[in-house]
């Protein structure tokens, strides 16, 4: 059967770094055909994790085989802990041992963790080899596989070591999402909802109407939301690839969210999307605390998150016991947007009207944190 109903979004970064994001059903089956034009020789190494390998590796290898592409797979442990210096070293050594040359292409099959780690390995191996992303989670399809942010965590914070390295192609296969747990589908939804809250009230209304359908498996709704999210991200990345300004908007909710993730030591107590969901509510509440909005949207945002199955406040069990305000501030100061000790936040005047606010007074942040449940 031919490939049908696939949509393509172009990330426009000039002649050498522009690439397509393809979104549709059965893309794994067609991966060999779609990736082949990007290969200098019929050879690639697939980097994936144990869980994804069990579900999708055989299909991807078959697709490469049908196209006469030789491939081997490097299978790494699943989970955020793999975004470490140790795992990076292991991966690089394996890629070198497999004889990956500078003109080869690495195929990255996985969620955000594998995408970030293997993308960073690609950025540094032989001073940079090309890679292709096949994101297997909603979060990776709408955010981490697009835009070229790659990296690993440090014990002091998330994604503190990394590089901008754009993929050559992204294949977002909607069918793959059927294999995700409910918790990870909801977590990924937080990143979709983020695009609506940043700058798209129309998409916000669409999500209020259709969000539950998407969560419950409706493929057309999923494809629509993934395409919308990727278009939004591609548009921002094309204007500000290295985050000198506008791109910071994509961090809505992340300053609070990453601090909460650091507090829970990047464990299953709080998955990334849950941190982002609670973080976005805190960002709207902080905006209201600072007088930037009248708080009118907050109840509706929280209600929608609850309907979807996302946590929306600090009572979430995985966060208990909460850190002190002082500890929370310490985590938040690790944010990459902090400059000379000055904090930057993504705030919002209303749904779809977010903005970057620099030089936010630390005392105001502490006062806000204390007004919440951080003591
Ligand atoms: N995840 C935020 C960004 O790619 O800029």
């Amino acid at each position: 059967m031919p490939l049908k109903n696939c949509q393509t979004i172009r990330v426009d970064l000039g002649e050498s770094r522009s690439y397509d994001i393809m979104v549709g059903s059965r893309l794994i089956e067609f991966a060999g055909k779609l990736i082949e034009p990007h290969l200098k020789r019929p050879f690639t190494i697939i980097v994936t994790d144990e869980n994804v390998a069990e579900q999708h590796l055989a299909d991807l290898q078959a697709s490469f085989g049908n196209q006469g592409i030789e491939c081997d797979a490097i299978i790494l442990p699943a989970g955020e802990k793999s975004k470490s210096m140790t795992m990076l070293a292991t991966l690089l050594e394996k890629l070198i041992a497999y004889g990956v040359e500078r003109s080869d292409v690495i195929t990255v099959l996985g969620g955000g963790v594998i995408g970030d780690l293997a993308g960073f390995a690609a950025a540094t191996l032989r001073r940079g080899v090309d890679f292709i992303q096949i994101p297997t989670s909603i979060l990776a399809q709408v955010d981490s596989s697009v835009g070229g942010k790659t990296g690993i965590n440090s014990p002091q914070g998330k994604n503190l070591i990394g590089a901008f390295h754009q993929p050559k192609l992204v294949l977002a296969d909607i069918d793959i999402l059927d294999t995700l747990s409910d918790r990870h589908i909801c977590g990924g939804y937080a990143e979709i909802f983020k695009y609506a809250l940043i700058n798209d009230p129309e998409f916000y209304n669409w999500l209020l109407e259709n969000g539950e359908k998407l969560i419950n498996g409706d493929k057309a709704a999923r494809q629509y939301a993934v395409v919308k999210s990727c278009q939004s991200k591609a548009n921002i990345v094309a204007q500000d690839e290295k985050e000198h300004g506008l791109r910071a908007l994509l961090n809505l909710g992340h300053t609070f969210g990453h601090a909460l993730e650091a507090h829970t030591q990047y464990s299953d107590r709080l998955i990334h999307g849950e941190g982002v969901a609670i973080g976005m509510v805190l960002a709207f509440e902080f905006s209201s605390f600072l007088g930037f909005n009248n708080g009118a949207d907050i109840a509706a945002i929280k209600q929608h998150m609850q309907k979807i199955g996302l946590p929306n406040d600090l009572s979430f069990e995985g966060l208990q016991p909460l850190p002190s305000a002082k500890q929370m501030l310490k985590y938040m100061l690790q944010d990459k947007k902090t400059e000379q000790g000055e904090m930057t936040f993504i705030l919002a005047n209303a749904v779809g009207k977010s903005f970057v606010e620099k030089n936010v007074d630390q005392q105001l942040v502490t006062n806000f944190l204390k007004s919440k449940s951080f003591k």
Side-chain angles (χ1 to χ4, degrees):
M1 236 203 297
L3 190 57
K4 281 201 300 203
N5 301 328
C6 175
Q7 289 167 276
T8 300
I9 300 125
R10 186 83 176 151
V11 184
D12 193 356
L13 292 167
E15 209 173 302
S16 61
R17 284 172 303 105
S18 293
Y19 56 96
D20 288 337
I21 306 163
M22 300 181 75
V23 185
S25 284
R26 299 170 57 233
L27 291 185
I28 290 235
E29 197 183 317
F30 283 84
K33 248 195 186 89
L34 299 169
I35 288 173
E36 208 245 281
H38 296 272
L39 306 181
K40 300 251 167 26
R41 58 171 171 157
F43 167 79
T44 186
I45 294 293
I46 302 167
V47 182
T48 189
D49 73 34
E50 293 157 343
N51 297 345
V52 174
E54 211 172 284
Q55 313 237 31
H56 307 295
L57 182 59
D59 291 341
L60 182 60
Q61 285 179 313
S63 175
F64 283 138
N66 291 340
Q67 209 58 31
I69 300 168
E70 188 195 325
C71 67
D72 273 302
I74 298 173
I75 303 173
L76 301 173
E80 190 73 30
K81 295 225 161 21
S82 281
K83 270 176 72 171
S84 68
M85 203 62 105
T86 316
M87 199 56 73
L88 175 71
T90 304
L91 174 56
L92 284 168
E93 288 304 329
K94 286 189 183 203
L95 289 166
I96 293 166
Y98 271 120
V100 174
E101 296 173 0
R102 192 152 189 202
S103 59
D104 285 327
V105 176
I106 296 167
T107 303
V108 182
L109 173 71
V113 168
I114 285 296
D116 286 4
L117 170 71
F120 188 39
T124 52
L125 181 66
R126 302 191 195 282
R127 298 206 180 92
V129 300
D130 287 338
F131 73 116
I132 281 167
Q133 292 263 28
I134 307 182
T136 56
S137 64
I138 296 191
L139 183 145
Q141 293 193 350
V142 302
D143 185 31
S144 59
S145 71
V146 175
K149 278 191 181 174
T150 70
I152 56 174
N153 300 330
S154 133
Q156 297 184 67
K158 220 172 136 96
N159 300 329
L160 293 185
I161 303 154
F164 286 97
H165 188 51
Q166 301 291 343
K168 282 287 154 198
L169 176 70
V170 180
L171 300 180
D173 186 332
I174 294 298
D175 297 336
I176 283 185
L177 304 180
D178 293 343
T179 57
L180 296 177
S181 69
D182 290 350
R183 189 178 184 196
H184 282 92
I185 289 182
C186 290
Y189 185 89
E191 294 282 359
I192 292 176
F193 198 42
K194 178 187 80 177
Y195 292 104
L197 295 179
I198 289 174
N199 61 8
D200 197 340
E202 211 178 290
F203 188 35
Y204 174 80
N205 288 329
W206 186 90
L207 288 171
L208 294 193
E209 283 275 298
N210 297 283
E212 278 180 295
K213 258 199 318 202
L214 185 167
I215 294 289
N216 294 330
D218 184 299
K219 294 235 164 122
R222 285 184 175 179
Q223 182 157 334
Y224 179 84
V226 172
V227 168
K228 268 304 245 186
S229 303
C230 288
Q231 278 167 338
S232 181
K233 181 152 187 182
N235 183 26
I236 289 176
V237 169
Q239 294 176 66
D240 180 22
E241 182 185 2
K242 299 223 167 141
E243 200 168 312
H244 297 300
L246 186 73
R247 184 166 178 167
L249 290 178
L250 297 172
N251 277 297
L252 177 66
H254 284 61
T255 307
F256 292 106
H258 281 167
L260 295 173
E261 282 184 88
H263 165 62
T264 53
Q265 293 160 322
Y266 310 110
S267 68
D268 270 359
R269 282 168 59 193
L270 179 82
I271 63 171
H272 178 68
E274 293 166 343
V276 170
I278 298 169
M280 290 193 296
V281 172
L282 289 171
F284 268 75
E285 289 176 340
F286 189 38
S287 306
S288 173
F289 181 86
L290 296 175
F292 287 113
N293 78 44
N294 60 13
D297 297 320
I298 297 173
I301 292 171
K302 287 180 78 168
Q303 198 182 25
H304 183 62
M305 286 178 176
Q306 191 174 17
K307 209 158 133 190
I308 288 302
L310 274 168
N312 62 12
D313 66 28
L314 295 167
S315 66
F316 184 59
E317 204 188 329
L319 295 177
Q320 312 312 318
L322 287 176
S324 64
K326 192 170 165 203
Q327 182 59 51
M328 187 68 182
L329 184 71
K330 202 167 158 198
Y331 289 134
M332 289 166 83
L333 282 166
Q334 281 300 338
D335 190 281
K336 288 183 289 312
K337 296 185 291 304
T338 300
E339 275 178 22
Q340 295 168 46
E342 300 287 354
M343 300 179 81
T344 295
F345 281 84
I346 313 309
L347 301 176
N349 294 126
V351 162
K353 290 197 175 144
S354 18
F355 60 93
V356 181
E357 180 70 1
K358 290 187 179 249
N359 303 337
V360 177
D361 186 346
Q362 284 185 28
Q363 189 56 50
L364 286 174
V365 180
T366 302
N367 293 350
F368 170 70
L369 293 172
K370 287 195 167 159
S371 78
K372 305 302 299 174
S373 311
F374 302 102
K375 293 302 164 220

